[in-house]
Amino acid sequence: MENFKIAVLAGDGIGPEIMKQALKVLKVIEQKKKASFELKEGLIGGCAIDKFGIPFPEETQQLVLKADAVLLGAVGGPKWDNLEFSIRPERALLGLRKLLQAFANLRPAKLYEPLIEASSLKPEVVSGVDIMVVRELTSGIYFGEPRGIIEEEGERVGINTLKYREHEIKRIAKVAFDTARKRHKRVCSVDKANVLEATVLWREVVTEVHKDYPDIELSHMYVDNAAMQIIRWPKQFDVMVTTNIFGDILSDACAMLTGSLGMLPSASIGGKIGLYEPIHGSAPDIAGQDIANPIATINSVGMMFTHSFNMPEIEVAIDKAVQMVLEQGYRTKDIWEKGKTLVGTEKMGDLIAEALETCL
Ligand code: IPM
Ligand code: MG
Protein backbone atom coordinates (compact mmCIF):
# COMPACT_ATOMS: atom_id res chain seq x y z
CA MET A 1 0.00 0.00 0.00
CA GLU A 2 1.39 3.34 -1.01
CA ASN A 3 1.84 6.15 1.46
CA PHE A 4 1.23 9.76 0.39
CA LYS A 5 2.25 12.96 2.11
CA ILE A 6 -0.51 15.52 1.92
CA ALA A 7 -0.13 19.14 3.02
CA VAL A 8 -3.47 20.13 4.50
CA LEU A 9 -4.12 23.88 4.41
CA ALA A 10 -7.62 24.52 5.70
CA GLY A 11 -7.36 28.31 5.63
CA ASP A 12 -10.13 30.69 6.67
CA GLY A 13 -13.91 31.03 6.80
CA ILE A 14 -15.60 27.76 5.88
CA GLY A 15 -12.16 26.30 5.02
CA PRO A 16 -11.71 24.31 8.26
CA GLU A 17 -15.23 22.81 8.28
CA ILE A 18 -15.16 21.67 4.65
CA MET A 19 -11.63 20.34 5.07
CA LYS A 20 -12.79 18.24 8.00
CA GLN A 21 -15.24 16.46 5.69
CA ALA A 22 -12.55 15.84 3.08
CA LEU A 23 -10.42 14.20 5.77
CA LYS A 24 -13.29 11.83 6.60
CA VAL A 25 -13.10 10.62 3.02
CA LEU A 26 -9.34 10.06 3.28
CA LYS A 27 -9.93 8.07 6.45
CA VAL A 28 -12.28 5.69 4.66
CA ILE A 29 -9.73 5.19 1.88
CA GLU A 30 -7.14 4.35 4.51
CA GLN A 31 -9.46 1.98 6.37
CA LYS A 32 -10.16 0.20 3.09
CA LYS A 33 -6.40 -0.15 2.71
CA LYS A 34 -6.27 1.55 -0.68
CA ALA A 35 -3.53 3.93 0.46
CA SER A 36 -2.17 5.49 3.63
CA PHE A 37 -1.56 9.15 4.32
CA GLU A 38 0.76 11.37 6.24
CA LEU A 39 -1.20 14.55 6.83
CA LYS A 40 0.70 17.74 7.65
CA GLU A 41 -1.35 20.78 8.57
CA GLY A 42 -0.17 24.31 7.78
CA LEU A 43 -1.43 27.86 8.02
CA ILE A 44 -2.26 29.97 4.99
CA GLY A 45 -4.23 33.16 4.42
CA GLY A 46 -5.83 35.11 7.24
CA CYS A 47 -5.03 32.56 9.94
CA ALA A 48 -1.35 32.80 8.95
CA ILE A 49 -1.51 36.60 9.05
CA ASP A 50 -2.89 36.39 12.60
CA LYS A 51 -0.01 34.20 13.73
CA PHE A 52 2.94 35.32 11.57
CA GLY A 53 1.90 38.68 10.13
CA ILE A 54 2.10 37.32 6.57
CA PRO A 55 -0.31 35.11 4.57
CA PHE A 56 2.16 32.52 3.24
CA PRO A 57 4.87 31.98 5.86
CA GLU A 58 8.14 30.19 5.21
CA GLU A 59 7.02 27.32 7.45
CA THR A 60 4.03 26.63 5.19
CA GLN A 61 6.14 26.98 2.05
CA GLN A 62 8.54 24.33 3.32
CA LEU A 63 5.66 22.09 4.28
CA VAL A 64 4.08 22.15 0.83
CA LEU A 65 7.40 21.62 -0.93
CA LYS A 66 7.89 18.41 1.04
CA ALA A 67 4.41 17.08 0.21
CA ASP A 68 3.25 14.81 -2.62
CA ALA A 69 0.11 16.93 -2.99
CA VAL A 70 -1.54 19.95 -1.38
CA LEU A 71 -5.16 20.10 -0.29
CA LEU A 72 -6.48 23.60 0.33
CA GLY A 73 -9.74 24.87 1.80
CA ALA A 74 -10.17 28.59 1.19
CA VAL A 75 -8.56 31.86 2.22
CA GLY A 76 -9.70 35.38 3.09
CA GLY A 77 -12.37 37.24 4.98
CA PRO A 78 -13.50 40.72 6.01
CA LYS A 79 -11.11 40.75 8.96
CA TRP A 80 -8.15 40.98 6.57
CA ASP A 81 -9.75 43.01 3.76
CA ASN A 82 -8.18 46.30 4.73
CA LEU A 83 -4.62 45.07 4.95
CA GLU A 84 -1.95 46.34 2.65
CA PHE A 85 -2.37 44.64 -0.75
CA SER A 86 0.88 42.66 -0.67
CA ILE A 87 -0.06 40.79 2.49
CA ARG A 88 -3.73 40.14 1.81
CA PRO A 89 -4.79 36.49 2.17
CA GLU A 90 -5.44 36.14 -1.59
CA ARG A 91 -1.76 36.86 -2.26
CA ALA A 92 -0.95 33.59 -0.50
CA LEU A 93 -3.03 31.64 -2.96
CA LEU A 94 -1.25 33.21 -5.91
CA GLY A 95 2.12 32.66 -4.20
CA LEU A 96 1.28 29.01 -3.60
CA ARG A 97 0.24 28.40 -7.21
CA LYS A 98 3.42 30.06 -8.43
CA LEU A 99 5.66 28.20 -5.95
CA LEU A 100 4.25 24.88 -7.14
CA GLN A 101 4.45 25.96 -10.81
CA ALA A 102 0.89 24.75 -11.06
CA PHE A 103 0.18 26.46 -14.37
CA ALA A 104 -2.79 24.34 -15.43
CA ASN A 105 -5.99 24.66 -13.48
CA LEU A 106 -8.61 22.04 -14.29
CA ARG A 107 -12.14 22.99 -13.27
CA PRO A 108 -14.71 20.38 -14.24
CA ALA A 109 -18.32 21.53 -14.31
CA LYS A 110 -20.39 18.38 -14.43
CA LEU A 111 -24.03 18.21 -13.56
CA TYR A 112 -25.15 15.49 -11.19
CA GLU A 113 -28.55 14.60 -12.61
CA PRO A 114 -30.31 14.59 -9.18
CA LEU A 115 -29.43 18.31 -8.99
CA ILE A 116 -31.04 19.21 -12.29
CA GLU A 117 -33.68 21.29 -10.52
CA ALA A 118 -31.10 23.11 -8.39
CA SER A 119 -29.68 24.92 -11.39
CA SER A 120 -31.12 28.32 -12.18
CA LEU A 121 -31.32 27.29 -15.83
CA LYS A 122 -33.95 25.09 -17.50
CA PRO A 123 -33.45 21.32 -17.10
CA GLU A 124 -33.16 20.75 -20.87
CA VAL A 125 -30.36 23.33 -21.00
CA VAL A 126 -28.24 21.88 -18.19
CA SER A 127 -29.03 18.17 -18.43
CA GLY A 128 -25.86 16.33 -19.43
CA VAL A 129 -23.55 19.34 -19.03
CA ASP A 130 -19.93 18.21 -18.72
CA ILE A 131 -17.40 20.97 -19.30
CA MET A 132 -13.73 21.02 -18.36
CA VAL A 133 -12.39 24.53 -18.00
CA VAL A 134 -8.60 24.56 -18.39
CA ARG A 135 -7.50 27.85 -16.91
CA GLU A 136 -3.94 29.18 -17.22
CA LEU A 137 -2.98 29.83 -13.61
CA THR A 138 0.49 31.26 -13.13
CA SER A 139 0.71 34.09 -15.64
CA GLY A 140 -1.44 36.62 -17.50
CA ILE A 141 -2.83 39.75 -15.92
CA TYR A 142 -2.66 38.21 -12.43
CA PHE A 143 1.13 38.27 -12.54
CA GLY A 144 2.16 40.69 -15.33
CA GLU A 145 4.50 43.62 -14.63
CA PRO A 146 4.28 46.56 -14.33
CA ARG A 147 1.49 46.61 -11.80
CA GLY A 148 0.40 48.82 -8.97
CA ILE A 149 -1.20 52.13 -8.17
CA ILE A 150 1.00 55.13 -8.97
CA GLU A 151 0.74 58.92 -9.15
CA GLU A 152 0.82 60.44 -12.61
CA GLU A 153 0.05 64.02 -13.57
CA GLY A 154 -1.45 64.72 -10.20
CA GLU A 155 -3.85 61.77 -10.04
CA ARG A 156 -3.75 58.10 -9.14
CA VAL A 157 -3.31 55.54 -11.90
CA GLY A 158 -4.00 51.80 -11.49
CA ILE A 159 -1.93 49.47 -13.66
CA ASN A 160 -2.00 45.78 -14.49
CA THR A 161 -0.37 44.09 -17.43
CA LEU A 162 -1.66 41.26 -19.57
CA LYS A 163 1.37 39.42 -20.80
CA TYR A 164 1.82 35.89 -22.15
CA ARG A 165 5.02 34.27 -23.25
CA GLU A 166 4.89 31.76 -26.06
CA HIS A 167 6.01 28.85 -23.88
CA GLU A 168 3.30 29.63 -21.34
CA ILE A 169 0.62 29.39 -24.01
CA LYS A 170 2.16 26.27 -25.55
CA ARG A 171 2.18 24.29 -22.33
CA ILE A 172 -1.40 25.14 -21.34
CA ALA A 173 -2.60 24.36 -24.88
CA LYS A 174 -0.96 20.93 -24.62
CA VAL A 175 -2.73 20.23 -21.35
CA ALA A 176 -6.04 21.22 -22.96
CA PHE A 177 -5.55 18.96 -26.00
CA ASP A 178 -4.32 16.05 -23.87
CA THR A 179 -7.35 16.50 -21.61
CA ALA A 180 -9.70 16.55 -24.61
CA ARG A 181 -8.17 13.30 -25.84
CA LYS A 182 -9.47 11.57 -22.72
CA ARG A 183 -12.89 13.19 -23.15
CA HIS A 184 -14.93 14.16 -26.22
CA LYS A 185 -12.03 15.43 -28.31
CA ARG A 186 -13.15 19.03 -28.64
CA VAL A 187 -11.31 22.15 -27.46
CA CYS A 188 -12.69 25.67 -27.52
CA SER A 189 -10.00 28.28 -26.93
CA VAL A 190 -11.37 31.50 -25.46
CA ASP A 191 -9.65 34.85 -26.04
CA LYS A 192 -10.26 38.49 -26.88
CA ALA A 193 -8.18 38.51 -30.04
CA ASN A 194 -10.28 41.28 -31.59
CA VAL A 195 -8.91 43.72 -29.00
CA LEU A 196 -5.98 42.33 -26.97
CA GLU A 197 -2.65 41.54 -28.67
CA ALA A 198 -1.60 39.17 -25.91
CA THR A 199 -4.54 37.01 -26.90
CA VAL A 200 -3.83 37.39 -30.63
CA LEU A 201 -0.63 35.55 -29.77
CA TRP A 202 -2.66 33.16 -27.61
CA ARG A 203 -4.84 32.24 -30.60
CA GLU A 204 -1.81 31.84 -32.89
CA VAL A 205 0.09 29.58 -30.52
CA VAL A 206 -2.92 27.42 -29.65
CA THR A 207 -3.50 26.95 -33.39
CA GLU A 208 0.16 25.94 -33.87
CA VAL A 209 0.09 23.42 -31.01
CA HIS A 210 -3.11 21.99 -32.47
CA LYS A 211 -1.10 20.74 -35.49
CA ASP A 212 0.17 17.93 -33.23
CA TYR A 213 -3.39 16.96 -32.34
CA PRO A 214 -5.20 16.23 -35.63
CA ASP A 215 -7.70 14.02 -33.80
CA ILE A 216 -8.94 16.96 -31.72
CA GLU A 217 -11.40 19.53 -33.03
CA LEU A 218 -10.34 23.11 -32.19
CA SER A 219 -12.55 26.19 -32.20
CA HIS A 220 -11.92 29.76 -31.05
CA MET A 221 -14.35 32.07 -29.34
CA TYR A 222 -14.22 35.61 -27.98
CA VAL A 223 -14.73 35.71 -24.25
CA ASP A 224 -17.89 37.83 -24.32
CA ASN A 225 -19.52 35.39 -26.71
CA ALA A 226 -18.26 32.46 -24.61
CA ALA A 227 -19.92 33.88 -21.49
CA MET A 228 -23.17 34.13 -23.42
CA GLN A 229 -22.88 30.64 -24.96
CA ILE A 230 -22.27 29.06 -21.52
CA ILE A 231 -25.68 30.32 -20.43
CA ARG A 232 -27.40 29.77 -23.79
CA TRP A 233 -26.35 26.21 -24.68
CA PRO A 234 -23.60 24.85 -22.42
CA LYS A 235 -23.68 21.37 -23.93
CA GLN A 236 -21.78 22.63 -26.98
CA PHE A 237 -18.59 22.69 -24.85
CA ASP A 238 -16.20 19.89 -23.97
CA VAL A 239 -12.84 21.44 -23.00
CA MET A 240 -12.51 25.23 -22.77
CA VAL A 241 -8.96 26.59 -22.53
CA THR A 242 -8.37 30.18 -21.58
CA THR A 243 -6.29 32.80 -19.81
CA ASN A 244 -6.00 33.25 -16.08
CA ILE A 245 -8.59 35.99 -15.67
CA PHE A 246 -11.06 34.75 -18.29
CA GLY A 247 -10.86 31.29 -16.69
CA ASP A 248 -11.55 32.77 -13.27
CA ILE A 249 -14.73 34.38 -14.53
CA LEU A 250 -15.99 31.65 -16.87
CA SER A 251 -15.45 28.88 -14.31
CA ASP A 252 -17.75 30.63 -11.83
CA ALA A 253 -20.39 30.85 -14.56
CA CYS A 254 -19.92 27.15 -15.38
CA ALA A 255 -20.24 26.29 -11.69
CA MET A 256 -23.74 27.71 -11.55
CA LEU A 257 -24.81 25.35 -14.33
CA THR A 258 -24.25 22.53 -11.87
CA GLY A 259 -26.49 24.10 -9.24
CA SER A 260 -24.03 25.75 -6.90
CA LEU A 261 -20.55 27.18 -6.62
CA GLY A 262 -20.25 24.70 -3.76
CA MET A 263 -20.08 21.81 -6.21
CA LEU A 264 -16.96 22.61 -8.23
CA PRO A 265 -13.59 21.06 -7.42
CA SER A 266 -10.28 21.92 -9.04
CA ALA A 267 -6.85 20.52 -9.69
CA SER A 268 -3.85 22.73 -10.37
CA ILE A 269 -1.15 20.76 -12.09
CA GLY A 270 1.93 21.15 -14.23
CA GLY A 271 4.55 21.24 -11.48
CA LYS A 272 5.90 18.33 -9.44
CA ILE A 273 3.33 18.83 -6.67
CA GLY A 274 -0.38 19.16 -7.44
CA LEU A 275 -2.71 21.56 -5.66
CA TYR A 276 -6.34 20.69 -5.03
CA GLU A 277 -8.99 23.12 -3.88
CA PRO A 278 -12.68 23.92 -4.28
CA ILE A 279 -13.23 26.86 -6.63
CA HIS A 280 -15.48 28.68 -4.16
CA GLY A 281 -14.04 31.07 -1.63
CA SER A 282 -14.03 31.18 2.16
CA ALA A 283 -17.67 32.38 2.40
CA PRO A 284 -17.15 34.17 5.75
CA ASP A 285 -20.87 35.01 5.93
CA ILE A 286 -21.77 31.35 6.49
CA ALA A 287 -18.62 30.18 8.30
CA GLY A 288 -19.05 28.13 11.47
CA GLN A 289 -22.77 27.55 10.91
CA ASP A 290 -22.57 23.98 9.58
CA ILE A 291 -24.30 24.93 6.33
CA ALA A 292 -21.45 25.01 3.79
CA ASN A 293 -21.42 22.43 1.02
CA PRO A 294 -18.36 20.15 1.35
CA ILE A 295 -18.80 18.44 -2.04
CA ALA A 296 -16.40 20.68 -3.99
CA THR A 297 -13.63 19.91 -1.49
CA ILE A 298 -14.44 16.20 -1.38
CA ASN A 299 -14.36 16.04 -5.18
CA SER A 300 -11.06 17.91 -5.13
CA VAL A 301 -9.73 14.96 -3.11
CA GLY A 302 -11.00 12.78 -5.95
CA MET A 303 -9.01 14.79 -8.48
CA MET A 304 -5.93 14.43 -6.28
CA PHE A 305 -6.09 10.67 -6.66
CA THR A 306 -6.26 10.89 -10.44
CA HIS A 307 -3.70 13.60 -11.04
CA SER A 308 -1.17 13.22 -8.22
CA PHE A 309 -1.48 9.61 -7.09
CA ASN A 310 -2.30 7.91 -10.38
CA MET A 311 -5.31 6.17 -8.84
CA PRO A 312 -8.23 7.35 -11.00
CA GLU A 313 -10.40 4.52 -9.68
CA ILE A 314 -10.58 6.35 -6.35
CA GLU A 315 -11.90 9.48 -8.04
CA VAL A 316 -14.52 7.35 -9.73
CA ALA A 317 -15.51 5.84 -6.35
CA ILE A 318 -15.75 9.25 -4.65
CA ASP A 319 -17.84 10.56 -7.53
CA LYS A 320 -20.14 7.57 -7.19
CA ALA A 321 -20.48 8.10 -3.45
CA VAL A 322 -21.50 11.73 -3.98
CA GLN A 323 -23.97 10.66 -6.65
CA MET A 324 -25.49 8.07 -4.27
CA VAL A 325 -25.99 10.57 -1.45
CA LEU A 326 -27.61 13.05 -3.82
CA GLU A 327 -29.86 10.33 -5.20
CA GLN A 328 -30.93 9.53 -1.65
CA GLY A 329 -32.20 13.11 -1.49
CA TYR A 330 -29.71 14.69 0.92
CA ARG A 331 -28.87 18.32 0.25
CA THR A 332 -26.91 21.11 1.88
CA LYS A 333 -28.64 24.48 1.98
CA ASP A 334 -27.16 25.83 -1.27
CA ILE A 335 -28.64 22.97 -3.33
CA TRP A 336 -31.73 22.26 -1.26
CA GLU A 337 -35.17 22.23 -2.83
CA LYS A 338 -38.64 21.25 -1.60
CA GLY A 339 -39.08 17.55 -0.86
CA LYS A 340 -35.36 16.96 -0.20
CA THR A 341 -33.66 16.34 3.12
CA LEU A 342 -31.71 19.33 4.38
CA VAL A 343 -28.42 18.36 6.06
CA GLY A 344 -25.50 20.31 7.45
CA THR A 345 -21.85 20.23 6.46
CA GLU A 346 -20.92 17.56 9.02
CA LYS A 347 -23.79 15.28 8.12
CA MET A 348 -23.10 15.59 4.40
CA GLY A 349 -19.48 14.63 5.09
CA ASP A 350 -20.58 11.61 7.14
CA LEU A 351 -23.05 10.48 4.47
CA ILE A 352 -20.50 10.66 1.66
CA ALA A 353 -17.87 8.88 3.76
CA GLU A 354 -20.37 6.12 4.55
CA ALA A 355 -21.41 5.80 0.92
CA LEU A 356 -17.77 5.63 -0.09
CA GLU A 357 -17.28 2.54 2.07
CA THR A 358 -19.65 0.71 -0.27
CA CYS A 359 -18.05 2.13 -3.44
CA LEU A 360 -14.41 1.22 -2.77
C1 IPM B 1 -10.33 31.40 -7.69
C2 IPM B 1 -10.39 32.61 -6.81
C3 IPM B 1 -9.02 33.23 -6.70
C4 IPM B 1 -8.58 33.61 -8.11
C5 IPM B 1 -8.88 34.43 -5.76
C6 IPM B 1 -9.40 34.11 -4.38
C7 IPM B 1 -7.47 34.93 -5.69
O1 IPM B 1 -11.34 33.50 -7.29
O2 IPM B 1 -9.56 30.47 -7.38
O3 IPM B 1 -11.05 31.35 -8.69
O4 IPM B 1 -8.95 34.69 -8.61
O5 IPM B 1 -7.85 32.84 -8.73
MG1 MG C 1 -12.54 32.72 -8.88
Side-chain angles (χ1 to χ4, degrees):
M1 191 166 64
E2 258 193 287
N3 182 66
F4 300 110
K5 270 199 214 92
I6 304 176
V8 176
L9 313 179
D12 311 314
I14 58 170
E17 47 195 300
I18 52 176
M19 184 61 78
K20 198 171 154 206
Q21 315 315 313
L23 299 186
K24 288 177 186 168
V25 163
L26 286 179
K27 202 159 182 191
V28 173
I29 295 165
E30 201 156 47
Q31 279 163 356
K32 286 277 180 177
K33 302 204 172 0
K34 300 292 176 191
S36 62
F37 310 103
E38 207 176 303
L39 304 178
K40 291 261 166 43
E41 292 184 22
L43 296 177
I44 193 161
C47 56
I49 295 173
D50 287 349
K51 180 148 183 222
F52 299 101
I54 46 171
F56 192 27
E58 183 63 31
E59 217 176 280
T60 308
Q61 298 189 22
Q62 288 312 320
L63 187 114
V64 303
L65 288 174
K66 284 192 205 111
D68 296 315
V70 181
L71 188 60
L72 184 107
V75 298
K79 183 175 172 196
W80 307 282
D81 271 352
N82 296 321
L83 287 176
E84 194 225 311
F85 192 75
S86 67
I87 59 160
R88 284 180 54 127
E90 290 80 2
R91 303 305 305 166
L93 202 49
L94 303 187
L96 175 60
R97 292 168 178 173
K98 198 78 174 171
L99 180 70
L100 298 179
Q101 297 169 20
F103 66 84
N105 183 215
L106 311 182
R107 298 189 159 188
K110 192 171 152 202
L111 180 80
Y112 286 98
E113 288 295 322
L115 290 188
I116 198 154
E117 297 290 339
S119 173
S120 49
L121 298 185
K122 290 191 194 124
E124 65 265 32
V125 175
V126 291
S127 161
V129 157
D130 182 7
I131 304 175
M132 179 67 87
V133 178
V134 178
R135 169 188 177 192
E136 199 291 323
L137 200 62
T138 53
S139 183
I141 199 167
Y142 273 50
F143 292 92
E145 300 280 349
R147 65 185 300 156
I149 301 173
I150 60 165
E151 279 276 326
E152 219 174 65
E153 294 164 14
E155 64 176 346
R156 287 166 302 167
V157 180
I159 306 172
N160 287 98
T161 303
L162 173 60
K163 181 167 168 177
Y164 269 109
R165 291 179 188 280
E166 193 176 345
H167 79 270
E168 294 171 330
I169 306 170
K170 258 189 195 152
R171 63 187 184 186
I172 192 75
K174 280 187 193 150
V175 171
F177 290 124
D178 287 334
T179 304
R181 240 178 210 163
K182 294 182 212 132
R183 295 172 46 97
H184 304 289
K185 300 195 164 48
R186 282 183 292 122
V187 171
C188 177
S189 171
V190 177
D191 60 42
K192 189 74 185 171
N194 49 346
V195 178
L196 304 172
E197 289 86 345
T199 69
V200 172
L201 181 68
W202 177 281
R203 190 177 279 220
E204 272 175 32
V205 174
V206 171
T207 305
E208 286 158 19
V209 174
H210 179 232
K211 293 201 178 99
D212 295 333
Y213 295 85
D215 52 321
I216 308 294
E217 183 189 311
L218 171 66
S219 60
H220 301 277
M221 206 178 264
Y222 297 140
V223 64
D224 48 352
N225 185 26
M228 192 256 284
Q229 297 295 341
I230 285 170
I231 313 297
R232 192 187 70 83
W233 195 242
K235 275 179 269 195
Q236 67 186 286
F237 296 113
D238 176 20
V239 173
M240 301 181 89
V241 62
T242 192
T243 63
N244 203 340
I245 193 161
F246 294 164
D248 178 43
I249 299 163
L250 295 182
S251 61
D252 270 27
C254 286
M256 267 325 283
L257 302 174
T258 70
S260 165
L261 203 54
M263 296 296 298
L264 236 74
S266 86
S268 303
I269 58 172
K272 279 210 300 279
I273 305 162
L275 166 64
Y276 302 86
E277 53 175 318
I279 83 152
H280 60 70
S282 59
D285 52 322
I286 60 163
Q289 298 172 37
D290 193 40
I291 55 179
N293 185 346
I295 293 178
T297 313
I298 289 173
N299 281 346
S300 299
V301 171
M303 295 189 88
M304 176 186 291
F305 278 89
T306 298
H307 296 279
S308 279
F309 304 157
N310 198 20
M311 297 173 80
E313 68 281 7
I314 304 281
E315 183 177 13
V316 172
I318 292 175
D319 188 62
K320 212 165 134 197
V322 171
Q323 173 87 25
M324 269 170 68
V325 171
L326 294 175
E327 267 164 15
Q328 289 157 6
Y330 296 106
R331 303 282 188 277
T332 43
K333 198 175 165 202
D334 55 319
I335 49 176
W336 181 82
E337 63 195 289
K338 240 184 155 158
K340 304 295 177 197
T341 314
L342 182 65
V343 295
T345 311
E346 284 284 342
K347 180 76 183 167
M348 185 55 104
D350 290 339
L351 287 164
I352 295 172
E354 260 169 52
L356 183 60
E357 285 182 29
T358 67
C359 297
L360 279 173

